[in-house]
Amino acid sequence: MNFINTFAGLPETFYTRLLATPLINPRLVALSASAASLLDLKDKPSLRDELTAVCSGNANWISAEPLAMVYSGHQFGVYNPQLGDGRGLLLGEVRNACGEKWDLHLKGAGKTPYSRFGDGRAVLRSCVREYLCSEAMHHLTIPTTRALCVVASDTPVYRETEEAGSTLLRLAKTHIRFGHFEYFSYTNQLDSLKTLTDYTIKHCFPHLLQAGDRYRLFFKEVLEKTARLIACWQSVGFAHGVMNTDNMSIVGETFDYGPFGFMDKFDWHYICNHSDHQGRYAFSQQPDIGYWNCGRLGSALLPLFNNNAEAIQTTLDQFPGSYSSYYTRLMRQKLGLLIPEDEDPELIRELLAALQKCGCDYTLFFRALCDFVAGKDNEKLLKVIGGSAMTGWLQQYSQRLKRNLVDDTRRCQQMKTVNPKFILRNYLAQQAIEHAEQGDFSEINRLMTVLETPFDEHPDYESYAEPPPLWASGLKVSCSS
Ligand code: AMP
Ligand code: MG
């Protein structure tokens, strides 16, 4: 691989150089061929051996310059002045044959100067969850970091119990977070803040390089990308769980997978992070938190705007409108509404209210709605709904479809390209993890088969589309990852 290490070319105040701490007896748990192709790599035994050695810290790529990045961030609304890569390393950057630059980041690589009280490690279950979910999100067409591979080992790591020290090799367009800007701004390193912003524009927003007001345009684009990302999450029923500003990617990708969750039953107040007692990061809060986080980024960028808070606020004010327009567009697609009408947002609001009352499975509802035909018995849909809670809304929908000027067959086809049949339900991830912890990694690959083509039918894997079985109804995801 051909490393270019542009971040390592920045001044030393941006990072600490160091190597990964080796893991004992490493083995490759999973490798995403789809992610490998981004680096022009093919899944073959020699690649597997190379990744096992590098991802366990037992070998290094000669031209890579590994480093831990420094950043800070607002965690649960409170500013934490010093965070940084406490258990991950940016191994380096690679440019592929198409000219795209990819960061290679090893999560679980051992202690760094930013580890604080942590052990620098990651456990198998959290690596498997990030691996499955980041690949699943990509195939749902939601912006996200990618996962190249997971490696497990015999190095013990202590959480609630002893677990297997593991690593995940993450690919991303950049690992720069909102928190990077906060760090340089609030430590008053204003030259570095400018260097960071210019670097980010050069590598991630190159079309803005020549613009006179490029800092404003940069902030505006970050806002738009963030609004769009959160609209994607809301449309698919995904909760991130820890939307701290250090987990917000500057290029608007889903970033740092922790106690995330896809909703099974629709619940507007869904909280996937069991340590989030106030529900700060509940599903319903995500758009507001996205806006708040952009506000924190705006404050950090103030020195680049001659401390003109009004200029920041004017741009920031565009967030709610931008979010709503992305969200409405996505929901219209989910509902098969090909010709927009002004009243659609109201129809969507009423749908969410009806779903909240009904409490049916969010994903299955939309998938069954694809086959809805007004005036027919719609048996499959009614089975998903399980009662009369949606009758009123379905009547409204029938009326709305009359003005849609598209036949049911075409509408159904279009809807099935945006309403997934398969999502990464918590219980499915849990099953794959339990097998993996016993040394059987095959369930991860089976699950990945449906997650890679979530809009297709998979007759051999029908059960993966099912809502959680009874045993999984109280399943809690541990936040200690
Ligand atoms: P997260 O909640 O995973 O986004 O992490 C928040 C901060 O804690 C980041 O600076 C991480 O690098 C750090 N961190 C999380 N887990 C560990 C760990 N096991 N060891 C060291 N640092 C960690
Ligand atoms: Mg994080």
Side-chain angles (χ1 to χ4, degrees):
M1 269 188 289
N2 191 14
F3 284 91
I4 50 176
N5 307 320
T6 66
F7 198 86
L10 290 172
E12 302 265 326
T13 43
F14 284 76
Y15 52 77
T16 303
R17 293 177 191 270
L18 79 164
L19 297 175
T21 311
L23 290 167
I24 302 162
N25 190 20
R27 54 251 173 211
L28 192 73
V29 172
L31 168 66
S32 163
S34 155
S37 71
L38 298 171
L39 306 179
D40 308 316
L41 298 173
K42 284 225 157 60
D43 181 2
K44 53 184 183 189
S46 59
L47 176 67
R48 289 179 165 249
D49 291 346
E50 185 181 334
L51 288 173
T52 310
V54 171
C55 295
S56 60
N58 289 293
N60 299 299
W61 281 308
I62 292 177
S63 60
E65 295 179 51
L67 55 87
M69 293 171 146
V70 62
Y71 51 82
S72 61
H74 280 82
Q75 299 183 308
F76 288 87
V78 179
Y79 186 63
N80 186 336
Q82 180 113 36
L83 292 164
D85 290 332
R87 56 163 165 177
L89 294 177
L90 177 66
L91 294 183
E93 300 144 59
V94 169
R95 202 175 287 288
N96 69 14
C98 305
E100 296 165 342
K101 184 177 89 62
W102 287 97
D103 276 11
L104 275 68
H105 173 104
L106 186 64
K107 191 168 186 173
K111 278 191 188 164
T112 79
Y114 317 110
S115 297
R116 295 174 296 157
F117 305 109
D119 57 7
R121 292 302 188 190
V123 295
L124 183 57
R125 65 186 150 75
S126 71
C127 292
V128 169
R129 275 171 55 83
E130 173 155 353
Y131 174 82
L132 288 169
C133 197
S134 48
E135 290 305 282
M137 292 293 258
H138 167 71
H139 293 287
L140 288 168
T141 73
I142 298 177
T144 178
T145 60
R146 303 290 302 273
L148 180 58
C149 64
V150 173
V151 164
S153 78
D154 287 343
T155 301
V157 168
Y158 301 94
R159 298 292 181 261
E160 284 92 356
T161 58
E162 183 183 311
E163 300 189 46
S166 305
T167 57
L168 172 116
L169 190 58
R170 179 162 69 193
L171 307 184
K173 294 192 189 76
T174 182
H175 276 75
I176 295 176
R177 310 150 188 256
F178 285 18
H180 277 88
F181 296 86
E182 295 181 279
Y183 173 76
F184 288 111
S185 188
Y186 299 136
T187 52
N188 220 18
Q189 301 182 64
L190 302 186
D191 288 344
S192 294
L193 176 66
K194 187 170 178 313
T195 303
L196 173 70
T197 313
D198 289 340
Y199 172 91
T200 308
I201 292 174
K202 179 174 172 200
H203 290 283
C204 307
F205 301 83
H207 51 286
L208 300 181
L209 264 179
Q210 303 306 327
D213 57 348
R214 61 184 181 282
Y215 294 142
R216 186 186 63 81
L217 293 175
F218 160 67
F219 183 46
K220 181 169 181 277
E221 277 202 30
V222 175
L223 238 73
E224 267 167 25
K225 284 178 188 288
T226 306
R228 172 165 179 259
L229 174 68
I230 296 170
C232 290
W233 291 352
Q234 299 306 108
S235 75
V236 81
F238 174 83
H240 179 284
V242 201
M243 287 177 70
N244 293 335
T245 54
D246 54 306
N247 291 337
M248 299 294 289
S249 152
I250 201 69
V251 290
E253 295 182 332
T254 315
F255 192 50
D256 255 7
Y257 290 84
F260 66 83
F262 281 90
M263 285 197 273
D264 297 303
K265 289 176 178 183
F266 182 79
D267 178 10
W268 186 236
H269 308 291
Y270 173 56
I271 301 170
C272 60
N273 180 351
H274 297 285
S275 324
D276 182 9
H277 304 295
Q278 311 293 322
R280 178 180 174 86
Y281 298 136
F283 177 74
S284 57
Q285 298 305 305
Q286 296 189 124
D288 285 351
I289 291 289
Y291 175 64
W292 191 85
N293 286 347
C294 286
R296 304 289 64 70
L297 176 66
S299 300
L301 293 176
L302 253 178
L304 302 180
F305 288 74
N306 295 320
N307 291 317
N308 180 352
E310 219 179 291
I312 294 280
Q313 190 59 44
T314 307
T315 306
L316 199 56
D317 286 345
Q318 296 171 18
F319 185 98
S322 187
Y323 167 76
S324 298
S325 102
Y326 281 123
Y327 180 67
T328 305
R329 195 184 311 166
L330 290 170
M331 293 306 280
R332 273 198 188 107
Q333 288 171 359
K334 280 177 85 67
L335 293 171
L337 304 178
L338 302 191
I339 298 159
E341 287 187 3
D342 290 348
E343 294 73 29
D344 291 341
E346 186 53 30
L347 183 72
I348 295 163
R349 263 191 298 278
E350 286 180 22
L351 167 62
L352 297 184
L355 283 171
Q356 182 73 31
K357 262 198 202 132
C358 170
C360 66
D361 188 274
Y362 183 73
T363 305
L364 292 181
F365 171 80
F366 278 100
R367 190 72 181 182
L369 193 69
C370 303
D371 292 312
F372 175 79
V373 180
K376 292 278 158 60
D377 59 8
N378 298 298
E379 211 177 300
K380 216 162 52 178
L381 178 62
L382 292 187
K383 195 169 157 227
V384 171
I385 294 170
S388 58
M390 305 291 301
T391 309
W393 185 84
L394 285 172
Q395 274 164 3
Q396 282 187 61
Y397 184 56
S398 302
Q399 292 304 317
R400 176 67 181 83
L401 288 181
K402 281 187 191 161
R403 302 188 301 276
N404 205 29
L405 303 182
V406 59
D407 63 73
D408 286 328
T409 315
R410 231 189 87 206
R411 177 177 54 81
C412 172
Q413 275 170 358
Q414 181 270 327
M415 285 172 74
K416 284 190 176 171
T417 66
V418 292
N419 288 303
K421 175 150 180 173
F422 300 96
I423 52 159
L424 181 62
R425 294 177 188 274
N426 255 338
Y427 84 94
L428 295 174
Q430 188 60 26
Q431 277 173 349
I433 288 165
E434 281 169 18
H435 282 97
E437 284 175 338
Q438 300 304 313
D440 172 7
F441 308 138
S442 59
E443 183 58 21
I444 297 173
N445 292 332
R446 263 196 299 282
L447 187 48
M448 198 63 118
T449 310
V450 297
L451 297 177
E452 282 185 337
T453 44
F455 303 105
D456 293 357
E457 295 293 328
H458 289 279
D460 295 343
Y461 295 103
E462 269 302 297
S463 65
Y464 289 98
E466 302 268 311
L470 272 184
W471 65 261
S473 59
L475 200 64
K476 286 205 165 50
V477 177
S478 168
C479 299
S480 57
S481 61

